[in-house]
Amino acid sequence: MMADTTVPADGVDRRDFINIAAVSAAGVGGLAVVFPLISQMAPSADVLAESTTELDVSAIEPGQSIKAVFRKQPLFVKRLAPQEIAAANAVDASSLRDPQTLAERTKEGHGDILVTMGVCTHLGCVPLGAVEGENKGEFDGYFCPCHGSHYDTAGRIRKGPAPTNLEVPDYEFTSDTTITVG
Amino acid sequence: MSFPWAKEYKPANDFTKWVDEKLPLPRLVYNAVGAGYPVPRNLNYMWNFGVLAGFCLVLQIITGVVLAMHYAANAEVAFATTEHIMRNVNWGWMMRYMHANGASFFFLALYIHIFRGFFYSSYKAPREMIWLLGVVIFLLTMATAFMGYVLPWGQMSFWGAKVITGLFGAIPLVGEPLQIWLVGGFAPDNAALNRFFSLHFLLPFVIAGVVILHIWALHIPGSSNPTGVEVKQESDTVPFHPYYTAKDGFGLGVFLILYAAFVFFLPNLLGHADNYIEANPLATPAHIVPEWYFYPFYAILRAFTFDFVLSAKLWGVLAMFSSILLWFLLPWLDRSPVRSGHYRPLFRKFFWFGLIPCMAVLFVCGGAPAEEPYVMLSQIATAYYFIHFLVIIPIVSSIEKPEPLPYSITEAVLGSDKDAVLGENTTPAT
């Protein structure tokens, strides 16, 4: 039997339908293959599993910091001395590049504990100042030696190329002396 | 296409005749880099560097494949296997020093090749495609070199990777997820090291493919030459072999002497001592710098220290990438019909007293710490760099009065075209 090769009145014949159906199926199939190829590059399950860290902050003396590790990146935990809190509050926050007050960067009831990533927001170097004797920069907080960003006692950017304050990660006090980050 | 007087490949015996009929590969080679490719007779030594860059690519692939036989791309052992190559593997130290210094010499050849193109306007019609492919090769080579430098997993490897992948974080909205996706984690670690190794192994072969396209595109109009006057007749050319195989061979010898001096006597001069300290995500080296061949672009990245609509960081990233991407526009920015800088008095002055000192300043600033006077100097040089390509080149090409060109390459070489040996297929002079 001969196939019907005449074009029907609406201008769409069987061949058009087969063409569109075949190309669409191949397109969807192609996308279905591309998705895993792209997704495999995202963080794997074991990397994501390390995404919370628990820390005891009771041993930190006022004015002292510790360096911990969170998601394989340095984390600074600092117990601010009264003069450091005063210095941070003496600045008009709205005049800053990334306007934030110290209170907005700490947890209520724990206003002396400053938890920030130890990752410069410019290009990701580790700022100095968390270890005794290191250069704390012009604002007595942290100083990034790579491209000269100066952070104040509240970890806010005050001078240099970094666009934002040192990031405060998600964390909570699980007891009076313990925090869980992530 | 080739010139009508190009020598034709003639198989020497029955065997080569048989091969030529089945797969004319020897014919292809003969026409590409043999006696079948007529080349302008007046090429100077600046025309050696394409071949030298190609040689470096082969050198890097051979030494790289050898190194990959002994290296393990795992953050736990990568640093140790690099030292294992240096201390335990037979001739491992030599292979690694050849590869590390080979990268530097590859870039040396590429830079001279590119700046040869700037001076002689090799990018102009009909050679735009050769130029565009060349810029693609340069970008791929930069990516490959960057990923290769991460593999020893020393301090500079790690922090270089962190800073460069951090650049993507500057992109609005998608920046941070993109950065996490690129490194496969929140900071460079095993996932990043592994994918960099995989791509570092793959990309050189992609580069080799684009190099073939680059040479293919070159053989359509034929090579440019120092006068910028197109080939008119047979007496303007000589066959690539033996004339330029010999000239390139001599240049290669000189190049290799210099290279061997580095490999054997100064193997770490171009490296950084910090990279012999294993990667430590908790301590940044006091002074992070890339390899010397990235200094000018690193200086452009760091030149932006103030916010203006966009953040300083994003400006730096955009400027660094566009400093190379704008080379793609060069064939259309330079409207002068004259190619060679030898006949362009104004263009020539801006090249020698503008672009070259500008690159030198960027080079010095890129390797210097981020403090004054280097910040200000790199800002001035960055401004000049963009003005040179986007303003000076178009203006100069429209107001300049070029010097008289020779009638032909033969006249430029012999002083007169009267004694030109005309081949039977010579196109009549117009």
Side-chain angles (χ1 to χ4, degrees), chain B residues 4 15 20 30 68 88 111 130 187 192 196 211 235 248 251 289 310 339 347 356 396 407:
Chain B
F15 174 70
D20 190 48
Y30 182 91
N88 301 335
Y111 277 121
I130 311 168
F196 282 6
V211 166
S235 69
D248 287 337
V289 278
L310 305 173
R339 293 190 185 87
F347 172 89
I356 295 292
V396 163
Y407 164 72

Side-chain angles (χ1 to χ4, degrees), chain A residues 25-109:
Chain A
V28 172
L31 287 177
V33 174
V34 166
F35 182 79
L37 284 176
I38 290 175
S39 175
Q40 56 81 24
M41 276 178 68
S44 54
D46 62 318
V47 171
L48 292 174
E50 287 174 356
S51 59
T52 60
T53 299
E54 200 162 274
L55 280 173
D56 180 7
V57 298
S58 60
I60 310 171
E61 298 289 332
Q64 216 184 30
S65 314
I66 59 164
K67 239 179 181 181
V69 180
F70 169 59
R71 295 181 174 170
K72 299 234 171 167
Q73 297 187 89
L75 181 78
F76 294 164
V77 183
K78 184 173 187 171
R79 188 183 290 279
L80 296 168
Q83 67 270 24
E84 289 176 317
I85 296 174
N89 289 332
V91 193
D92 175 18
S94 60
S95 69
L96 301 177
R97 183 179 297 170
D98 184 6
Q100 265 186 324
T101 61
L102 179 62
E104 287 167 344
R105 294 173 60 74
T106 52
K107 298 287 178 195
E108 214 176 323

Side-chain angles (χ1 to χ4, degrees), chain A:
Chain A
M1 220 165 60
M2 293 277 287
D4 182 12
T5 54
T6 56
V7 179
D10 63 359
V12 179
D13 64 9
R14 222 162 65 98
R15 207 159 277 266
D16 288 339
F17 174 77
I18 292 169
N19 263 336
I20 292 165
V23 170
S24 307
V28 172
L31 287 177
V33 174
V34 166
F35 182 79
L37 284 176
I38 290 175
S39 175
Q40 56 81 24
M41 276 178 68
S44 54
D46 62 318
V47 171
L48 292 174
E50 287 174 356
S51 59
T52 60
T53 299
E54 200 162 274
L55 280 173
D56 180 7
V57 298
S58 60
I60 310 171
E61 298 289 332
Q64 216 184 30
S65 314
I66 59 164
K67 239 179 181 181
V69 180
F70 169 59
R71 295 181 174 170
K72 299 234 171 167
Q73 297 187 89
L75 181 78
F76 294 164
V77 183
K78 184 173 187 171
R79 188 183 290 279
L80 296 168
Q83 67 270 24
E84 289 176 317
I85 296 174
N89 289 332
V91 193
D92 175 18
S94 60
S95 69
L96 301 177
R97 183 179 297 170
D98 184 6
Q100 265 186 324
T101 61
L102 179 62
E104 287 167 344
R105 294 173 60 74
T106 52
K107 298 287 178 195
E108 214 176 323
H110 299 279
D112 59 339
I113 296 286
L114 178 70
V115 181
T116 60
M117 297 303 299
V119 179
C120 180
T121 56
H122 181 225
L123 291 172
C125 297
V126 180
L128 302 175
V131 176
E132 202 66 35
E134 281 181 350
N135 184 353
K136 291 182 161 195
E138 289 175 24
F139 297 89
D140 211 28
Y142 300 107
F143 169 68
C144 183
C146 293
H147 304 108
S149 290
H150 299 258
Y151 297 91
D152 66 10
T153 53
R156 297 175 296 195
I157 181 66
R158 297 293 288 275
K159 186 183 173 191
T164 57
N165 300 335
L166 287 181
E167 185 193 343
V168 177
D170 287 335
Y171 71 97
E172 58 184 13
F173 280 86
T174 42
S175 76
D176 271 355
T177 57
T178 318
I179 59 169
T180 301
V181 190

Side-chain angles (χ1 to χ4, degrees), chain B residues 363-386:
Chain B
F363 179 82
V364 171
C365 292
E371 54 193 44
E372 297 298 353
Y374 303 111
V375 175
M376 192 186 61
L377 284 174
S378 50
Q379 286 168 344
I380 295 169
T382 300
Y384 180 81
Y385 180 90
F386 285 96

Side-chain angles (χ1 to χ4, degrees), chain B residues 24 118 147 182 247 349 353 388:
Chain B
F118 286 147
M147 288 190 275
L182 279 173
K247 187 160 183 158
K349 287 189 186 77
F353 302 111
H388 181 90

Side-chain angles (χ1 to χ4, degrees), chain B residues 180-331:
Chain B
I180 289 173
W181 177 75
L182 279 173
V183 298
F186 303 100
D189 197 15
N190 211 27
L193 178 63
N194 255 296
R195 68 190 55 178
F196 282 6
F197 179 59
S198 172
L199 293 173
H200 184 73
F201 207 116
L202 166 73
L203 285 183
F205 298 96
V206 176
I207 294 172
V210 185
V211 166
I212 288 171
L213 299 182
H214 187 66
I215 298 172
W216 185 6
L218 171 69
H219 282 70
I220 293 171
S223 299
S224 63
N225 72 86
T227 66
V229 174
E230 289 293 311
V231 168
K232 288 191 168 77
Q233 56 204 350
E234 187 171 354
S235 69
D236 290 345
T237 66
V238 289
F240 188 85
H241 179 75
Y243 291 94
Y244 287 111
T245 44
K247 187 160 183 158
D248 287 337
F250 177 75
L252 181 62
V254 174
F255 190 74
L256 284 177
I257 289 171
L258 190 63
Y259 171 64
F262 272 83
V263 170
F264 294 107
F265 299 106
L266 305 160
N268 289 308
L269 183 73
L270 300 171
H272 300 287
D274 274 312
N275 221 28
Y276 283 103
I277 303 168
E278 192 168 2
N280 177 359
L282 300 187
T284 311
H287 182 42
I288 300 183
V289 278
E291 290 284 83
W292 70 267
Y293 38 81
F294 292 142
Y295 281 177
F297 305 104
Y298 194 57
I300 292 175
L301 170 75
R302 297 193 302 180
F304 292 81
T305 52
F306 41 86
D307 299 338
F308 174 70
V309 186
L310 305 173
S311 70
K313 179 176 167 182
L314 185 56
W315 275 116
V317 174
L318 291 174
M320 185 182 72
F321 284 108
S322 47
S323 67
I324 298 173
L325 294 178
L326 74 84
W327 295 355
F328 280 119
L329 303 177
L330 202 49

